[in-house]
Structure formats: C-alpha cells, structure tokens
Amino acid sequence: MERWRTIIEPFRIKSVEPIRMTTVAERDDHLREAGFNLFNLHAADVLIDLLTDSGTGAMSAEQWAGIQRGDESYAGSPSWFRFLDAVTELFAFRHVIPTHQGRAAEKILFSVIGGPDKVIPSNTHFDTTRANIEFTGAEAVDLVIAEGRSPSVIHPFKGNMDTDALDTLIVERGAERVPVVFVTVTNNSGGGQPVSMANLRAVREVCDRYGLPLFLDACRFAENAWFIKQREDGYAERSVPDIVREMAGLADGMTMSGKKDALANIGGWLALNDDRWAEACRNMLILTEGFPTYGGLAGRDLEAMAAGLREVVQDDYLRYRVRSTAYLGEALVEAGVPVVQPIGGHAVYLDAAALLPHVPPLEYPGQALACALYREGGIRGCEIGTVMFGQHPDGTESPAPMELVRLAIPRRVYTQSHVDYVIEVIRWVAERAEQLRGMRIVEQPSALRHFTARFEPLAAAG
Ligand SMILES: Cc1ncc(COP(=O)(O)O)c(C=O)c1O
C-alpha cells in the first residue's frame, strides 16, 4: 500500500502557457458569435479546454529533446528506427506502417480489407473507424456487453465485447464476409471503459474458431493495461509493458492514434502480421501518406512518439492519469451530479438527460449544458448526444441513446486546482440546472452537424 493518500502530478512544470481569464459578459458574446457551438470558439477564449484528449497533451523534456534530434532523411531515418524499436518493444507485429494520425491507418486498412458485403464487428467502433468502414461499403457493427450501454451500471470492464453476440453474427453473416474483428481499448465511444484480458482472450477464441484475425484499436492501450493491473485477478504484480505485450500477443494487428497513448501531438500507425495485407497497405500508404519509413510524419514526430511510448507505460504516470480523471468524476458523484460510471480513463461524461429532465432530446440537453459550462466558467466540453448522433441521411432526426457531455482530460496539462475549479463550476451549474433551457438548430450541414451547426437558445417557458 502507498503510505500517502495524495497522488501528485508526477512531473514539475518547466514551460508554461498563460490562460486568459474572461468574464461572463465576454463569454456571452463569444457564444453568440459561435452560434452556441463550442467548436466555433477561438481556443484563446477558453479557460479550461476539455474538448478532447487527442493531441492536446503536454510533451516531456525527453520528447522535446527527441524533436531536436529528429532526422529528416526521406528514407531510412534514424528517427524511424528509434520509433520502430519503441513500437515493437510493446507490440511485436511484423509490419509497422507510420501514418499522420489514427484515421489514416484506418483508411488504409479498410480500403484494403473492406468493401461492399463485408461486416466488421467491434465492441464499439469509434466514429472515424465506423466512417472509414462505411466509406468502403462495408457494415460496422457494435457488440459491447449490455452493461456498456447503460450509464449508471457499475462493471469493472464495461468495454468488453459480447462474445456470444460476436459468434452469432459470424454464423449468421458467414465468416467469409468478416475480414477482421476489432476491439477498441479503452472503449472511447462507450465512456472510456476498459476491456479485460479475459474478454480479449474470449474474443480471440471466437476468432480462432472461424479463422478470423483480431485487431486492436489501441489508442488508449496503456490506460486499458492499467485498469487490467488494478482490476483483473492475477495482474496486480505484472508490469504494464508486460500486460500490453500480452494484449498485443492476442491480436494480429492494430490501428493507433499517437495523439493519445503515445503522448504526442500528431502521429499514428498501423501494425500487422499478414504479409499480403501489409504489402497492399504500404502501397496505399505511398499513395496517400508517404514513404514507408516516415508515413505522413516528420522524423521529429516519430521521435516524440518513441519517447512518449516509453513514458506512457510508467506506473507513476498511469496512476496519476487514471486517478486524476476519477478525482473529477468522484467529486461530481459526491455532489449528486449524474455521470457515466465507473469513471473511465480519459474523460468524465456528464449525463445531461438525467440532469436536465425538463429538456427533451430534440431540444439538445447536452448542448445546453455544454454551453452553460462555458458561459459560467469558460470550460469547453463536447456534446455527445442527439446533436452528434441524431441526424439521419434522409434529413430526419431522432433522439440519441444517451445525452452526454464529455469532459476529456488532456494528458499532463491541467493541475489539481484546475480540476477543483471545474468541479466548482459544474456543481454551481448543476444546482441551477432547472433554469437551463433547450436549444434549436438554426443552420446545419447534411452530415456531421456537431462540428458546424449553429444554435439559438429557446426562450424560457411562460
Ligand atoms: C478510439 C479511437 N479510435 C480512433 C481515433 C482516431 O484517431 P485520430 O484522431 O488520430 O485520427 C480516435 C480519436 O479520437 C479514437 O478515440
């Protein structure tokens, strides 16, 4: 047991970036100018930016040193070999293909193995994964366990895949139509919830039964490994790199966004064992990203990821990372604010439907709550509800399954006092939640409306 209860940030600050205080009146103006869409704000007008944990982390002195060391040779750069070593130390796949970010790895893989008639199951596909699968004409199917679909059910591995449902899908559709099975660790769209090693093993068994490859969407692999170490029998004494190697050993390949658990601001990769797929993917890489020893990246970006991969699997970092996210979530639970439970690795999800029961889904309670957090405290979160998922290609709309506001925590950026401030603002807003009104959309594109739609607050009733 640790002697002291306080878990401190395991770093000290060497370089600072000022954040600018603003008033409610200024933020009212910014909201109006942005059409009440937080994606339209100037980031300089945001005090605490929890829009995403992707690419928003702070790099270490070692990573900045790596950036200086970056070798920009077109082919065979030493930076590439340092990156390759760091990746294969954890993920011993035969082929590693660098890309500019995660979705480029997805695009390349699915243009090689997807296509009409194909079905690709996952616990839950992230939106870019789903979009890249569907772009090829294939179908993306989510098969997370039932607990993973309910915000308040406590389960240690809510990201697990329903392996019976996987088996049934393969039998019903035919194994020849399933080119690959995906598991997202941790399950971002399902609340940053982890997947257990036992579940990965069970998915592997189903794959083996039908001769199918298993790939990881490994964006938050280190956070997932930490949850396994904390929560799964038999793993407490195992090192995180060892747990990661065991996860990787169950898979045949991976897609990765280096903007998450490689602690970098840009980058990603695709790794796999199959020689024929790898050749086809490299050919596609050369068309769309670049030569196979740099992908869509500069040598210095490869260095940043190489150093980040060594730091992200350290116990001190992961203990702080997961605890500091839980610290925010637990304070909100204690204050009676409804959140998705248990708290995931990278974000806290406010349950806007439960907090604003008087705002119907088609008046966008998540958007109303996200705007209120910005207005009152300069905090930027992200609606994950009917604005994001309610629009259909035929122009109709229907309520999303959940109305959430995601507060994603950038890595190594904010301190405990920033988080205490966030808690104070959310409590204040939650205590006055019945005064919040819904929104209506005044302008929207035909797809992916959450990025650009413009809103207007609805007037108070009566
Ligand atoms: C689970 C998951 N997969 C894939 C991606 C796509 O990665 P990128 O943003 O680097 O394209 C993300 C990004 O948020 C993600 O969370």
Side-chain angles (χ1 to χ4, degrees), residues 100-310:
H100 78 274
Q101 61 184 88
R103 70 198 68 185
E106 295 164 359
K107 165 91 185 140
I108 288 170
L109 178 68
F110 296 124
S111 40
V112 168
I113 68 170
D117 253 27
K118 298 280 169 38
V119 183
I120 301 178
S122 176
N123 46 351
T124 311
H125 290 288
F126 181 65
D127 20 345
T128 59
T129 324
R130 169 175 287 277
N132 273 304
I133 290 170
E134 290 174 350
F135 188 72
T136 71
E139 187 187 351
V141 180
D142 294 339
L143 299 174
V144 75
I145 54 171
E147 291 88 337
R149 290 190 296 267
S150 167
S152 55
V153 174
I154 307 278
H155 184 291
F157 292 103
K158 258 175 119 166
N160 281 354
M161 188 185 250
D162 180 339
T163 47
D164 289 339
L166 175 64
D167 196 298
T168 306
L169 180 91
I170 297 169
V171 170
E172 280 178 5
R173 303 298 184 88
E176 68 291 348
R177 291 179 59 196
V178 182
V180 67
V181 174
F182 253 76
V183 176
T184 311
V185 292
T186 61
N187 191 18
N188 181 6
S189 310
Q193 301 293 331
V195 175
S196 69
M197 195 72 85
N199 186 250
L200 276 178
R201 242 180 262 122
V203 174
R204 174 81 256 173
E205 276 170 31
V206 177
C207 289
D208 285 346
R209 207 172 300 148
Y210 300 99
L212 302 180
L214 168 62
F215 271 50
L216 301 176
D217 174 341
C219 293
R220 298 176 181 82
F221 71 88
E223 291 170 13
N224 199 88
W226 183 255
F227 281 118
I228 288 176
K229 186 174 166 75
Q230 301 302 305
R231 297 181 182 170
E232 193 160 350
D233 281 349
Y235 287 92
E237 302 307 321
R238 297 272 301 277
S239 76
V240 170
D242 221 32
I243 296 172
V244 174
R245 281 189 280 270
E246 186 175 337
M247 289 162 58
L250 291 167
D252 303 288
M254 69 189 290
T255 54
M256 177 70 191
S257 168
K259 301 170 76 172
K260 285 80 168 177
D261 275 356
L263 300 177
N265 300 126
I266 195 73
W269 68 90
L270 165 67
L272 67 173
N273 285 333
D274 187 285
D275 298 334
R276 275 191 311 120
W277 281 6
E279 191 190 339
C281 288
R282 279 207 184 91
N283 290 339
M284 186 63 75
L285 180 85
I286 293 172
L287 273 184
T288 59
E289 294 277 297
F291 189 74
T293 63
Y294 73 84
L297 295 165
R300 55 181 169 269
D301 302 323
L302 295 168
E303 295 275 0
M305 286 198 286
L309 281 174
R310 299 216 160 91

Side-chain angles (χ1 to χ4, degrees), residues 310-327:
R310 299 216 160 91
E311 292 167 13
V312 79
V313 291
Q314 290 171 9
D315 283 7
D316 287 347
Y317 164 75
L318 284 166
R319 183 179 298 111
Y320 140 80
R321 170 73 178 156
V322 169
R323 252 325 288 162
S324 57
T325 306
Y327 175 83

Side-chain angles (χ1 to χ4, degrees), residues 3 30 36 81 89 91 106 195 264 294 302 365 404 426 441:
R3 182 171 176 203
H30 297 321
F36 295 87
F81 290 106
E89 246 173 57
F91 304 96
E106 295 164 359
V195 175
Y294 73 84
L302 295 168
L404 305 176
I426 295 173
I441 291 181

Side-chain angles (χ1 to χ4, degrees), residues 447-460:
L448 294 175
R449 65 180 178 181
H450 54 287
F451 290 124
T452 55
R454 296 182 74 83
F455 301 81
E456 239 172 42
L458 292 165

Side-chain angles (χ1 to χ4, degrees), residues 332 337-339 348-352 369 373 403-405 407 426:
L332 296 177
V337 179
V339 300
V348 173
Y349 294 70
L350 306 179
D351 186 347
L369 179 60
L373 297 181
E403 302 294 340
L404 305 176
V405 174
L407 306 172
I426 295 173

